[in-house]
Amino acid sequence: MYLSFLLIFCYYLPLLISACPIYLTISLDSKTLQDAYLEINWGPECHDHPEWIGIFSEDPSTTYFHPEARITNINNSSGKVLSNVKVGKLRFPHGWNSNDDNTVPIEYPKGKCLPYYVASFNGSELLTVECLKIQPNWMSKLEHIAQMPLKDLFIPGTHASGAYVNNLVKTKSVLVKDYVVAQQFDVWSQLVFGVRYLDFSIG
Ligand SMILES: *[C@@H]1O[C@H](CO)[C@@H](O)[C@H](O)[C@H]1NC(C)=O
Ligand SMILES: *[C@@H]1O[C@H](CO)[C@@H](O)[C@H](O)[C@H]1NC(C)=O
Ligand SMILES: *[C@@H]1O[C@H](CO)[C@@H](O)[C@H](O)[C@H]1NC(C)=O
């Protein structure tokens, strides 16, 4: 059995310098990625509290749709709330799925949002928008990266990279329960998301 450690996978590049950073993560509590719920996160240092934060399936800064879920009463500087919005079938843009034909995929200098957005509001005033995004080409889009020593790079990585959850068998051991899950993405998807440090525990 593979034992691996809980990985907190977050892509957190605020679009604006905001008084209250917000971002989405995917809960690791479900058996499959499709059944996994989105989590709304705020902080660190969320001081100017928005009135509410919503999850949207389209960019609310271009077209306003009703949120799929919303939370209010943000009281503190950082935290996380599980929503009832499921990830469902996750598809990357054409060319970036592992089973797509040989089309040359489009490159995204700043990453590309998947249709999962989170936005904070004061009444109807939009304050911040963030999304779950893929960053398949981030290294080649960084100027001067070729001249940079490795020690100066912050490289997103995963632990036990090949031991992803496909169908999580629940363990009864309290000691192990919180640590068996590595992530819900296969190695290809991790690379598309931008992970560049992979750790394989061969066993
Ligand atoms: C939202 O509005 C309230 C009341 O008008 C204000 O105190 C607060 O600073 C506003 N929050 C943000 C993040 O703009
Ligand atoms: C904020 O605090 C109130 C009162 O303690 C609580 O009812 C509410 O759930 C809190 N908000 C969040 C987002 O947890
Ligand atoms: C803030 O509130 C959230 C939701 O109620 C909670 O999960 C989190 O632990 C709290 N954070 C701090 C720093 O107290």
mmCIF file of all heavy atoms in Angstrom, residues 19-20 48-51 121-123 125 127, ligand 1:
data_model
loop_
_atom_site.group_PDB
_atom_site.id
_atom_site.type_symbol
_atom_site.label_atom_id
_atom_site.label_comp_id
_atom_site.label_asym_id
_atom_site.label_seq_id
_atom_site.Cartn_x
_atom_site.Cartn_y
_atom_site.Cartn_z
ATOM 1 N N ALA A 19 -7.349 43.558 -0.561
ATOM 2 C CA ALA A 19 -7.367 43.641 0.890
ATOM 3 C C ALA A 19 -7.801 42.315 1.495
ATOM 4 O O ALA A 19 -7.633 42.095 2.682
ATOM 5 C CB ALA A 19 -8.317 44.741 1.321
ATOM 6 N N CYS A 20 -8.344 41.457 0.668
ATOM 7 C CA CYS A 20 -8.714 40.132 1.158
ATOM 8 C C CYS A 20 -8.535 39.109 0.054
ATOM 9 O O CYS A 20 -9.401 38.928 -0.788
ATOM 10 C CB CYS A 20 -10.157 40.119 1.659
ATOM 11 S SG CYS A 20 -10.608 38.491 2.298
ATOM 12 N N ASP A 48 -9.914 43.536 5.262
ATOM 13 C CA ASP A 48 -11.085 44.295 4.845
ATOM 14 C C ASP A 48 -12.113 43.272 4.344
ATOM 15 O O ASP A 48 -12.077 42.856 3.189
ATOM 16 C CB ASP A 48 -10.656 45.243 3.715
ATOM 17 C CG ASP A 48 -11.475 46.495 3.713
ATOM 18 O OD1 ASP A 48 -12.442 46.569 4.505
ATOM 19 O OD2 ASP A 48 -11.170 47.385 2.911
ATOM 20 N N HIS A 49 -12.955 42.805 5.231
ATOM 21 C CA HIS A 49 -13.815 41.668 4.899
ATOM 22 C C HIS A 49 -14.857 42.017 3.843
ATOM 23 O O HIS A 49 -15.565 43.007 3.990
ATOM 24 C CB HIS A 49 -14.537 41.167 6.162
ATOM 25 C CG HIS A 49 -13.602 40.679 7.216
ATOM 26 N ND1 HIS A 49 -13.895 40.728 8.549
ATOM 27 C CD2 HIS A 49 -12.375 40.131 7.116
ATOM 28 C CE1 HIS A 49 -12.867 40.240 9.240
ATOM 29 N NE2 HIS A 49 -11.947 39.865 8.397
ATOM 30 N N PRO A 50 -14.963 41.198 2.807
ATOM 31 C CA PRO A 50 -16.048 41.411 1.851
ATOM 32 C C PRO A 50 -17.369 40.973 2.488
ATOM 33 O O PRO A 50 -17.371 40.206 3.447
ATOM 34 C CB PRO A 50 -15.676 40.498 0.681
ATOM 35 C CG PRO A 50 -14.849 39.417 1.282
ATOM 36 C CD PRO A 50 -14.134 40.029 2.457
ATOM 37 N N GLU A 51 -18.457 41.457 1.930
ATOM 38 C CA GLU A 51 -19.760 41.067 2.473
ATOM 39 C C GLU A 51 -20.059 39.595 2.151
ATOM 40 O O GLU A 51 -20.579 38.870 2.976
ATOM 41 C CB GLU A 51 -20.806 41.958 1.818
ATOM 42 C CG GLU A 51 -22.074 42.142 2.580
ATOM 43 C CD GLU A 51 -22.964 43.083 1.795
ATOM 44 O OE1 GLU A 51 -22.670 44.287 1.741
ATOM 45 O OE2 GLU A 51 -23.934 42.590 1.205
ATOM 46 N N PHE A 121 -17.515 40.164 -3.014
ATOM 47 C CA PHE A 121 -18.390 41.305 -3.296
ATOM 48 C C PHE A 121 -18.705 42.078 -2.030
ATOM 49 O O PHE A 121 -18.724 41.529 -0.925
ATOM 50 C CB PHE A 121 -19.736 40.820 -3.852
ATOM 51 C CG PHE A 121 -19.665 40.206 -5.210
ATOM 52 C CD1 PHE A 121 -19.303 38.881 -5.365
ATOM 53 C CD2 PHE A 121 -19.975 40.961 -6.337
ATOM 54 C CE1 PHE A 121 -19.246 38.306 -6.629
ATOM 55 C CE2 PHE A 121 -19.921 40.397 -7.599
ATOM 56 C CZ PHE A 121 -19.558 39.062 -7.743
ATOM 57 N N ASN A 122 -18.984 43.353 -2.265
ATOM 58 C CA ASN A 122 -19.637 44.167 -1.257
ATOM 59 C C ASN A 122 -20.960 44.554 -1.911
ATOM 60 O O ASN A 122 -20.942 45.326 -2.864
ATOM 61 C CB ASN A 122 -18.787 45.424 -0.970
ATOM 62 C CG ASN A 122 -18.541 45.610 0.508
ATOM 63 O OD1 ASN A 122 -18.892 44.747 1.311
ATOM 64 N ND2 ASN A 122 -17.961 46.734 0.873
ATOM 65 N N GLY A 123 -22.057 43.989 -1.469
ATOM 66 C CA GLY A 123 -23.316 44.187 -2.187
ATOM 67 C C GLY A 123 -23.169 43.656 -3.589
ATOM 68 O O GLY A 123 -22.822 42.491 -3.765
ATOM 69 N N GLU A 125 -21.023 45.153 -5.699
ATOM 70 C CA GLU A 125 -19.710 45.626 -6.171
ATOM 71 C C GLU A 125 -18.690 44.490 -6.125
ATOM 72 O O GLU A 125 -18.413 43.925 -5.056
ATOM 73 C CB GLU A 125 -19.237 46.787 -5.279
ATOM 74 C CG GLU A 125 -17.914 47.387 -5.713
ATOM 75 C CD GLU A 125 -17.215 48.198 -4.596
ATOM 76 O OE1 GLU A 125 -17.809 48.360 -3.516
ATOM 77 O OE2 GLU A 125 -16.076 48.625 -4.815
ATOM 78 N N LEU A 127 -15.231 42.834 -5.939
ATOM 79 C CA LEU A 127 -13.948 43.245 -5.354
ATOM 80 C C LEU A 127 -12.779 42.469 -5.953
ATOM 81 O O LEU A 127 -11.816 43.059 -6.401
ATOM 82 C CB LEU A 127 -13.982 43.052 -3.831
ATOM 83 C CG LEU A 127 -15.100 43.782 -3.075
ATOM 84 C CD1 LEU A 127 -15.150 43.334 -1.623
ATOM 85 C CD2 LEU A 127 -14.920 45.291 -3.162
HETATM 86 C C1 LIG B 1 -17.708 46.975 2.273
HETATM 87 O O1 LIG B 1 -18.619 47.956 2.718
HETATM 88 C C2 LIG B 1 -18.495 48.244 4.108
HETATM 89 C C3 LIG B 1 -19.659 49.165 4.480
HETATM 90 O O2 LIG B 1 -19.858 50.138 3.493
HETATM 91 C C4 LIG B 1 -17.139 48.853 4.387
HETATM 92 O O3 LIG B 1 -16.998 49.116 5.754
HETATM 93 C C5 LIG B 1 -16.092 47.857 3.977
HETATM 94 O O4 LIG B 1 -14.789 48.397 4.149
HETATM 95 C C6 LIG B 1 -16.272 47.426 2.526
HETATM 96 N N1 LIG B 1 -15.344 46.351 2.256
HETATM 97 C C7 LIG B 1 -14.529 46.350 1.211
HETATM 98 C C8 LIG B 1 -13.642 45.157 1.108
HETATM 99 O O5 LIG B 1 -14.498 47.243 0.380
#
